[in-house]
Amino acid sequence: MTVLVALGANLLIAVAKAAGGLISGSPALLSEAAHSVADSMNEVFLLAALRRSRRPADRRHPFGYGKERFFWSLLAAVGIFVMGGCFSFFQGFEALRNGADESFSGYVAGFVVLGVSLLAEGASLLRALHQVRKQGGKAGLRDPALRTVVAEDGTAVLGVSLAMAGMALHMVTGQVVWEASASLAIGVLLVGIAYRLGSDAREQLIGRAADEEQRREILAVLDAQPEIDSVEELFTMELGLDSILVAARIDLAPGLDSEEVEEVAIRIKRSVTEAVPQADHVFLDVTDARTARAAARADGAGESPAATGGRGGA
């Protein structure tokens, strides 16, 4: 719903800004029109992300499609950069080179459009912030779709404010440099936001570890098991918004037969999932700590695991 609200607001605003920009000849208003068009396209990407990421796991994708959210969020960041930031730079430089003549009626039309846009973008931002609070505040921003909407609406409010300031100074001083500067500032703002969103999506897409609090909870559960002598290694990776892969190499207490090891492994996996519900893929590699350390020292000396009898995770 948050994405749909943002999409509806951006489509209406894009049309209004484009019409107002063409009538008034305002470079700042045209830059804002490009900004809203980019935001509208990005909402379509986010809707695709929400729909496609919910598909169940299958043979081709056994861990599910949760990373679809990260992929489409990356495309949204590219859209903000290309369609919003680059066009704003173009408008700013074009205004500095050729100037821009605006009539009083053009200024009035521009301010009316920007005023309505500010109200609509503000309402959409409030809806997104309400959703963030509903999903746990900072934890809610882990959702790349919600994070992108908040960033887009926040920059839209700031961008409209910059455009209004540029138009006002242009009208008072008669110097187009103020409106051109507003367009360039909007471009810098959009490029910065696109870079930040793109970096976050990239980290999640290539396989980011679970946050430190979740990792500590998982490690605490493993350390609390009486059958585990030590946890040699713990790896985690976000598979989606609510899905974490956990792989742990553990050294079990001596004296357990194969059936006991199987029962202990099932119980440990269940305990991890109960402590961290997002940890829905848990893999345990039972190893001998002394053998593992000897293999690690051999690897450091240039020997292969095969030559020392070492083995990878099962």
Side-chain angles (χ1 to χ4, degrees), residues 170-183:
H170 185 188
M171 182 175 65
V172 171
T173 64
Q175 300 294 320
V176 74
V177 65
W178 293 109
E179 222 169 325
S181 298
S183 292

Side-chain angles (χ1 to χ4, degrees), residues 67 100 128 273 280:
K67 289 193 175 186
T273 302
D280 50 355

